[in-house]
C-alpha cells in the first residue's frame, strides 16, 4: 500500500481531536514541562559560528558531559510520555489517562530495548551518509505505535513488524515527516524571535527568558503531538487491511 499524505494528515488531526483530553493531559506533564525546565535551566552550548569540526566536537562533548544527567532524565521522561500518548491514540484502546500511563510504564523497558536495537541500524547510516540513517529510522518509526496497539513483548518482533509495514514507503514516510518537522522548526524559530523582540521591548531590552522559553516549549510540544499523531495515522493507514481505520 502506498502512503496517502492527505489521508495521513486528516487521520492525524482526527486522532488528536478524538483523544485531545487524554493527549493534552499527558503532554502537559511529560512533554511540555520537561522541555520548559530543560530550556530554563540547561544553557545551550556557546558557539561563535567560526568553529571547525574539531572545535565543535570539543564544545558539544563538554556540553553533553556537563549535562548528561539532565539530558538523560528529560529524554527518559519525554520518551515515557510519548509512549503513553501512543497508548491513548490507538483505536484498540479506550482507557483513562492513568491506565494509559500504567500501560506505558509496563512496556517502557521493551520500548527502550527496541529503540536501542533500531539504533544499531540507524546510527551507522547517520554517521556515514545521513540519508540512509534517516531512511532506516523511518522504517522503524512505527515501533511505539505497534507496541501500544498490539502490546508485543519482543523488541525484535517490533522491529520486524515496523519493517514489514513500512515496506516500499520508507522515503514517503521520510518526506511526510520532514515536511511537518521543517514547518515546525520554522514556526518555533519565528515565534521565538517575535517573542524575544516583544519581551525585549516590554522590559527595556533586558528580556525575560522564562516567557521566551514558555512559548518555545509550548510550540515544540504541539508539533511533537502532531508528529505522534502523524505516526499513528501512518500506522493505521498501512495496517488498514488488518484493522479498521480511524
Amino acid at each position: 500500500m502506498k502512503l496517502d499524505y492527505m489521508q495521513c494528515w486528516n487521520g492525524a488531526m482526527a486522532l488528536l481531536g478524538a483523544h485531545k483530553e487524554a493527549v493534552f493531559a499527558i503532554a502537559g506533564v511529560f512533554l511540555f514541562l520537561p522541555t520548559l525546565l530543560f530550556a530554563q535551566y540547561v544553557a545551550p552550548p556557546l558557539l561563535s559560528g567560526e568553529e571547525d569540526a574539531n572545535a565543535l566536537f570539543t564544545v558539544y562533548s563538554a556540553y553533553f558531559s556537563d549535562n548528561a544527567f539532565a539530558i538523560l532524565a528529560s529524554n527518559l521522561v519525554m520518551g515515557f510520555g510519548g509512549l503513553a500518548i501512543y497508548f491513548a491514540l490507538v483505536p484498540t484502546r479506550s482507557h483513562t489517562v492513568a491506565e494509559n500511563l500504567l500501560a506505558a510504564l509496563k512496556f517502557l523497558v521493551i520500548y527502550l530495548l527496541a529503540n536501542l536495537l533500531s539504533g544499531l541500524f540507524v546510527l551507522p547510516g547517520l554517521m556515514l551518509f545521513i540519508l540512509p540513517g534517516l531512511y532506516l529510522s523511518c522504517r522503524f518509526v512505527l515501533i511505539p505505535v505497534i507496541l501500544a496497539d498490539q502490546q508485543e513483548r519482543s523488541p525484535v518482533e517490533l522491529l520486524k513488524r515496523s519493517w514489514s509495514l513500512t515496506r516500499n514507503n520508507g522515503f514517503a514516510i521520510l518526506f511526510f515527516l520532514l515536511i511537518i518537522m521543517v514547518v515546525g522548526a520554522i514556526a518555533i524559530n519565528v515565534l521565538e524571535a517575535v517573542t524575544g523582540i516583544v519581551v525585549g521591548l516590554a522590559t527595556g531590552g533586558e528580556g525575560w527568558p522564562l516567557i521566551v522559553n514558555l512559548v518555545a516549549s509550548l510550540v515544540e510540544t504541539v508539533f511533537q503531538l502532531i508528529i505522534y499523531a502523524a505516526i499513528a495515522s501512518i500506522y493505521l493507514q498501512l495496517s488498514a487491511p488488518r484493522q479498521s481505520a480511524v
Side-chain angles (χ1 to χ4, degrees):
M1 176 185 292
K2 288 295 183 181
L3 198 66
D4 184 321
Y5 290 159
M6 186 57 66
Q7 182 180 340
C8 278
W9 178 256
N10 291 338
M13 295 301 100
L15 284 171
L16 287 177
H19 305 283
K20 56 182 179 296
E21 292 85 1
V23 167
F24 291 156
I26 296 170
V29 177
F30 295 98
L31 297 184
F32 171 73
L33 190 57
T35 302
L36 176 61
L37 291 175
F38 190 88
Q40 189 70 15
Y41 294 107
V42 179
L46 297 176
L47 301 173
S48 65
E50 300 179 354
E51 292 85 357
D52 58 16
N54 291 330
L56 285 174
F57 179 79
T58 301
V59 170
Y60 278 98
S61 294
Y63 170 75
F64 287 116
S65 177
D66 294 341
N67 301 288
F69 177 77
I71 293 171
L72 179 62
S74 63
N75 278 279
L76 184 60
V77 171
M78 293 172 69
F80 168 74
L83 184 59
I85 288 170
Y86 282 117
F87 272 99
L89 288 175
V90 291
T92 53
R93 293 177 56 85
S94 181
H95 297 279
T96 65
V97 170
E99 288 171 332
N100 288 324
L101 291 172
L102 287 174
L105 183 61
K106 179 180 177 181
F107 287 93
L108 182 60
V109 173
I110 296 171
Y111 175 52
L112 294 176
L113 289 175
N115 278 342
L116 286 174
L117 286 177
S118 66
L120 296 178
F121 296 95
V122 173
L123 187 57
L126 290 174
M127 294 177 65
L128 292 175
F129 301 108
I130 299 180
L131 185 59
L134 294 176
Y135 168 80
L136 288 171
S137 68
C138 289
R139 294 299 303 272
F140 295 125
V141 76
L142 299 183
I143 285 174
V145 67
I146 293 173
L147 175 59
D149 188 46
Q150 303 178 19
Q151 300 190 19
E152 171 60 53
R153 295 179 177 274
S154 169
V156 174
E157 188 62 29
L158 287 170
L159 267 67
K160 289 181 179 178
R161 293 185 188 181
S162 181
W163 187 265
S164 176
L165 282 175
T166 57
R167 183 177 291 113
N168 300 323
N169 283 291
F171 284 113
I173 294 172
L174 174 60
F175 183 69
F176 179 59
L177 295 180
L178 275 179
I179 292 174
I180 299 175
M181 291 177 184
V182 168
V183 172
I186 293 173
I188 291 169
N189 288 331
V190 170
L191 283 173
E192 283 184 343
V194 172
T195 304
I197 292 172
V198 171
V199 172
L201 292 173
T203 59
E206 295 181 3
W208 196 356
L210 177 60
I211 298 299
V212 176
N213 291 334
L214 189 69
V215 172
S217 299
L218 181 60
V219 177
E220 287 178 28
T221 300
V222 170
F223 275 95
Q224 189 62 56
L225 287 178
I226 292 174
I227 291 290
Y228 289 151
I231 291 172
S233 183
I234 290 170
Y235 167 74
L236 293 176
Q237 184 181 148
L238 296 182
S239 61
R242 284 176 286 176
Q243 61 184 28
S244 299
V246 178

